[in-house]
Amino acid sequence: MTDAVRLDDLAQPRFSVEAQQILDMMATLAPDCPLDADALHARAAADTGLTDFGPEDYRERLDVYLAALREIDGLHAAGAVNFYAQLLQLLKNRLLFSDLLSRHPDIDDIELVPPIVIAGLPRTGTTHLHNLLAAAPTFRTMPYWESVEPFPLPQEAGLEPDPRRVRMDVGVGVINTVMPYFPLMHEMTTDHVHEEIQLLANDFSTMLFETLADVPRWRDYYQAHDQTRHYAYLARQLKAMQFLRGGRRWLLKSPQHLEQVPVLDRVFPDSIVVFTHRDPVPVALSMIAMITYSARMHRSPVPVPQIARYWVDRLDQMLAALVRDRDTIGPERSIDVRFDDFMADELGVAERVYALAGEPFTEPVRGAVADYLSDHQRGRLGNVETSYEMFGLAEDSLRARFASYLERFLG
């Protein structure tokens, strides 16, 4: 067993020579990458040759997020460039999506088969279950590269190798160089199965933005607005992606769904939902480690205790919402899976999900799942050590915060 890695530079990040060179190179681009809505729109239009961004309501959300980013203490030049690049891609995705719909209006005639949706906090087995269920060709999933660039540039359509994959290879290389321990917490590869929360970002209404930066202004705005129309925008994108690359039935996954169960049920009626559960106390420590470590991509110093308090509050809100709304979806369309039970019988859990979804768990399916499991042993890349002291937290107070969830689902 590999010794756990101790992250002793969360507050004051240290970088390898290669990582610092990447950050310095990115910083040189900062004058041409302002966190400004007009500049971002102009660049997106120039890069694509398109001008229709779709429904205009997203602009207010973008403005709120940009204001929140500009408020970050210690935002460094490379971080600003990173955010600029991410937002530019989202705007380009909107342009390409609108263009695709204008050329193929029949996309809206596609009927989505009720998807299978995994809803659980990070570190509760969601990623493992997602990839395990995706091992067989039963379900339509999106690889990381497709989630970031779901719609090809017109001039790149049909090219092999797909330039979107090539760009993601470069992006993953940057992530692994600047944050070499991130794969121990959440492995990211060009082709791994990714979350549709990335698609929700194309409508600039998603919890994803909170994980990318400490943006309380954005959180308050996001929580004050019903998310139904944004989930509808997601559903429309899923139809377009099926149109482009096929697929019969989507397998989705995101922690965001925990506090959006009624919205999920409204937009995806008859969906099959798998709720994953694990003691939220160590889950909180693990998630906070991941978020504070990745904060080095955009700021220095990193206010570790401040970010930790934010996420304890946020997880408390998410779990309280789940306790309140869990029964919105009845037992005929949902199951609750405890982490320990999942780890003890991974194949059995997969078979239960298939049965609930009405999909045959054939021998080829069983073999594909078994092959995936043999190649993806838990902790094979190593682990990151966490402690309450790292984040200025105490176990007793955390358990008190999560008491209602613990009693309901793990009691």
Side-chain angles (χ1 to χ4, degrees):
M1 175 69 93
T2 306
D3 290 339
V5 172
R6 175 174 295 181
L7 302 174
D8 60 359
D9 69 334
L10 287 178
Q12 299 286 344
R14 298 187 302 270
F15 298 101
S16 67
V17 171
E18 295 79 8
Q20 192 62 57
Q21 288 174 342
I22 290 174
L23 294 173
D24 291 345
M25 182 275 294
M26 291 174 65
T28 65
L29 304 175
D32 297 319
C33 299
L35 295 176
D36 173 82
D38 289 343
L40 282 160
H41 281 88
R43 176 69 181 276
D47 284 358
T48 60
L50 303 170
T51 57
D52 180 7
F53 289 90
E56 294 284 308
D57 58 284
Y58 76 91
R59 288 178 180 263
E60 179 178 289
R61 299 188 292 277
L62 172 59
D63 287 342
V64 173
Y65 187 51
L66 284 169
L69 292 177
R70 292 192 292 263
E71 291 171 349
I72 295 173
D73 290 333
L75 178 66
H76 53 63
V81 170
N82 190 33
F83 286 127
Y84 177 92
Q86 291 176 9
L87 293 172
L88 175 63
Q89 186 60 57
L90 299 181
L91 288 172
K92 288 163 70 171
N93 288 346
R94 287 188 70 91
L95 287 167
L96 293 166
F97 183 39
S98 295
D99 177 64
L100 181 66
L101 290 173
S102 71
R103 290 185 287 111
H104 300 282
D106 50 318
I107 286 172
D108 282 322
D109 296 332
I110 295 173
E111 289 194 20
L112 293 176
V113 177
I116 288 75
V117 183
I118 301 168
L121 291 180
R123 324 307 295 162
T124 63
T126 57
T127 298
H128 186 51
L129 180 59
H130 197 198
N131 282 273
L132 178 155
L133 293 173
T138 308
F139 303 116
R140 171 66 153 96
T141 58
M142 65 190 84
Y144 188 29
W145 66 264
E146 187 186 25
S147 74
V148 174
E149 294 193 56
F151 314 114
L153 290 162
Q155 64 269 29
E156 293 182 353
L159 292 181
E160 289 295 340
D162 193 312
R164 294 175 291 172
R165 289 193 78 264
V166 175
R167 285 190 287 270
M168 183 52 68
D169 284 341
V170 173
V172 168
V174 169
I175 292 171
N176 290 340
T177 301
V178 179
M179 299 190 296
Y181 297 122
F182 194 79
L184 279 62
M185 296 179 272
H186 186 68
E187 186 179 7
M188 305 285 276
T189 65
T190 297
D191 289 300
H192 83 269
V193 180
H194 198 47
E195 297 180 20
E196 67 280 2
I197 196 170
Q198 192 74 46
L199 301 181
L200 285 162
N202 292 334
D203 206 30
F204 295 91
S205 193
T206 172
M207 200 182 160
L208 176 65
F209 290 161
E210 296 180 66
T211 67
L212 300 177
D214 188 27
V215 284
R217 176 196 289 255
W218 168 257
R219 172 205 58 208
D220 295 344
Y221 179 91
Y222 169 76
Q223 289 186 312
H225 290 80
D226 179 77
Q227 298 302 305
T228 302
R229 62 178 171 173
H230 311 304
Y231 273 61
Y233 189 87
L234 163 65
R236 206 175 184 202
Q237 290 182 86
L238 295 176
K239 291 181 180 183
M241 293 168 72
Q242 261 184 242
F243 173 81
L244 289 171
R245 295 187 64 234
R248 181 183 65 85
R249 189 177 192 182
W250 282 94
L251 171 64
L252 306 175
K253 184 266 283 192
S254 177
Q256 174 175 315
H257 302 321
L258 289 175
E259 63 177 4
Q260 301 292 338
V261 173
V263 171
L264 180 73
D265 191 49
R266 201 174 299 134
V267 176
F268 297 99
D270 301 321
S271 56
I272 301 297
V273 185
V274 182
F275 295 96
T276 60
H277 304 285
R278 190 180 187 181
D279 184 346
V281 175
V283 164
L285 297 183
S286 183
M287 184 174 178
I288 292 166
M290 185 166 59
I291 289 174
T292 53
Y293 181 64
S294 60
R296 67 187 53 208
M297 288 291 290
H298 69 269
R299 73 190 301 181
S300 183
V302 176
V304 174
Q306 174 184 316
I307 294 175
R309 289 192 300 272
Y310 178 103
W311 280 101
V312 170
D313 287 344
R314 206 59 188 86
L315 294 178
D316 186 21
Q317 293 164 359
M318 294 173 70
L319 295 178
L322 178 64
V323 170
R324 181 192 67 216
D325 297 331
R326 167 63 183 88
D327 293 334
T328 300
I329 302 178
E332 74 284 354
R333 291 199 289 116
S334 63
I335 56 172
D336 295 279
V337 176
R338 295 188 181 197
F339 181 78
D340 290 343
D341 295 338
F342 178 32
M343 291 298 99
D345 187 14
E346 294 156 308
L347 264 174
V349 168
E351 193 163 4
R352 284 177 62 200
V353 173
Y354 263 73
L356 192 64
E359 298 286 349
F361 199 71
T362 63
E363 283 307 311
V365 169
R366 181 183 295 274
V369 172
D371 288 346
Y372 173 83
L373 290 173
S374 66
D375 292 335
H376 294 82
Q377 296 296 317
R378 184 181 172 201
R380 73 189 189 285
L381 299 178
N383 296 286
V384 168
E385 181 181 303
T386 61
S387 69
Y388 301 101
E389 294 74 21
M390 287 172 64
F391 309 117
L393 300 173
E395 181 177 5
D396 290 347
S397 63
L398 281 181
R399 292 212 172 274
R401 291 292 295 273
F402 304 137
S404 62
Y405 170 82
L406 283 162
E407 180 181 356
R408 169 74 189 271
F409 295 106
L410 296 168

